[in-house]
């Protein structure tokens, strides 16, 4: 990110990404946080006031491929289950509270917030519903001149949603993006797994979940891409 950029945080949760960007750039980057949970969205607004984050705005809605009502499974008021979403962990399903919420597409949300129609970066972490949200995103966001993406790829959560890591990564062809995979929590118990380029035959088998970073390949973004590549190689 650079000053005067726009950043979209989808699945903002408690705002770790949103407020980190705002504080780092001292308000010089516009931030849009999208959060489905009304309770969490109110916490985000309260946090923004406490931090003096005047350049951070929030949108409360689910995110998917169409505008409609959905059942969103939440933690009981005042509680925490580690995750909330459309497809709860069946082992703990009785602990969730279903709530009818409005789902919107990323195309609709960006139209409602014109400053974010051409973001420089997007973070997407919505517990297995990521492919659903990508189907409703503006088509220009998948061009080689579009934003950088940081997306959680959780094989278990994606499977619960009837999708897969391969379905998720198919939105980011190698012809348009440099693609990096950052494994999180190795199944072997190893303390660290190094980032690696995303291969076409990636099995997504050595970690419990991953962060996919898709860096657009346009020539005009070469300087930004050059700053990132050495970082992945040294992590």
């Amino acid at each position: 990110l650079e000053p005067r950029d726009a950043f979209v945080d989808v699945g903002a949760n408690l705002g770790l990404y949103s407020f980190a960007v705002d504080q780092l750039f001292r308000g010089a980057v516009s931030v849009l946080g999208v959060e489905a949970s009304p309770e969490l969205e109110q916490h985000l607004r309260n946090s923004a006031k406490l931090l003096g984050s005047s350049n951070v705005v929030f949108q409360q809605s689910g995110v998917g491929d169409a505008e409609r009502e959905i059942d969103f499974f939440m933690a009981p008021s005042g509680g925490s289950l580690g995750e909330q979403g459309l497809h709860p962990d069946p082992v703990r399903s009785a602990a969730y509270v279903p709530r009818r919420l409005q789902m919107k597409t990323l195309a609709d949300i960006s139209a409602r917030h014109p400053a974010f129609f051409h973001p420089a970066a997007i973070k997407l972490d919505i517990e297995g519903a990521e492919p659903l949200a990508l189907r409703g995103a503006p088509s220009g966001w998948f061009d080689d001149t579009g934003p950088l993406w940081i997306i959680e790829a959780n094989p278990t959560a994606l499977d619960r949603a009837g999708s897969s890591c391969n379905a998720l990564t198919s939105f980011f062809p190698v012809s348009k993006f440099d693609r990096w995979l950052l494994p999180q929590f190795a199944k072997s118990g190893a303390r660290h797994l190094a980032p690696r380029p995303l291969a076409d035959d990636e099995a997504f088998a050595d970690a419990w979940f991953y962060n996919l970073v898709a860096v657009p390949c346009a020539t005009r973004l070469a300087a930004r891409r050059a700053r990132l590549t050495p970082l992945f190689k040294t992590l």
Side-chain angles (χ1 to χ4, degrees):
L1 289 167
E2 296 177 354
R4 295 180 297 280
D5 278 345
F7 170 66
V8 181
D9 183 1
V10 186
N13 199 282
L14 294 175
L16 177 63
Y17 280 73
S18 292
F19 295 125
V21 168
D22 181 70
Q23 297 293 305
L24 178 63
F25 287 95
R26 301 177 183 268
V29 168
S30 300
V31 179
L32 171 62
V34 184
E35 174 53 49
S37 164
E39 285 79 5
L40 282 176
E41 194 257 356
Q42 186 58 55
H43 283 307
L44 288 165
R45 292 183 183 274
N46 293 341
S47 296
K49 290 179 181 179
L50 288 170
L51 292 167
S53 298
S54 59
N55 213 27
V56 181
V57 297
F58 298 103
Q59 165 83 45
Q60 185 271 309
S61 75
V63 180
D65 60 348
E67 189 165 346
R68 64 176 186 270
E69 283 197 341
I70 56 171
D71 285 321
F72 188 81
F73 294 86
M74 303 171 55
S77 181
S80 174
L81 291 169
E83 62 181 43
Q84 303 182 107
L86 298 176
H87 305 282
D89 181 349
V91 175
R92 300 183 294 163
S93 59
Y96 287 90
V97 177
R99 184 164 178 175
R100 295 294 286 176
L101 297 178
Q102 190 70 17
M103 173 187 281
K104 299 184 184 300
T105 67
L106 287 171
D108 178 66
I109 291 170
S110 64
R112 290 168 183 256
H113 301 274
F116 298 93
F117 196 75
H118 297 288
I122 301 171
K123 174 228 130 185
L124 178 61
D125 181 359
I126 50 175
E127 308 302 339
E130 291 84 4
L132 190 70
L134 293 172
R135 288 199 289 272
S139 59
W141 289 9
F142 303 105
D143 289 341
D144 61 358
T145 58
L148 174 144
W149 293 82
I150 305 170
I151 305 179
E152 181 177 85
N154 183 326
T156 302
L158 287 163
D159 182 65
R160 288 203 305 263
S163 190
S164 66
C165 289
N166 288 322
L168 175 62
T169 60
S170 68
F171 286 89
F172 306 98
V174 70
S175 60
K176 295 182 178 180
F177 294 90
D178 288 346
R179 308 172 307 169
W180 291 86
L181 208 60
L182 283 66
Q184 306 290 336
F185 299 101
K187 291 184 178 181
S188 67
R191 295 186 64 183
H192 177 68
L193 291 174
R196 58 182 182 260
L198 174 64
D200 290 337
D201 60 350
E202 172 64 50
F204 298 96
D206 60 342
W208 291 108
F209 68 94
Y210 304 81
N211 289 327
L212 168 67
V213 180
V215 186
C217 292
T219 301
R220 70 177 181 83
L221 300 173
R224 298 193 190 208
R225 193 163 61 252
R227 291 198 297 268
L228 285 170
T229 301
L231 173 64
F232 294 135
K233 291 181 178 179
T234 58
L235 286 176

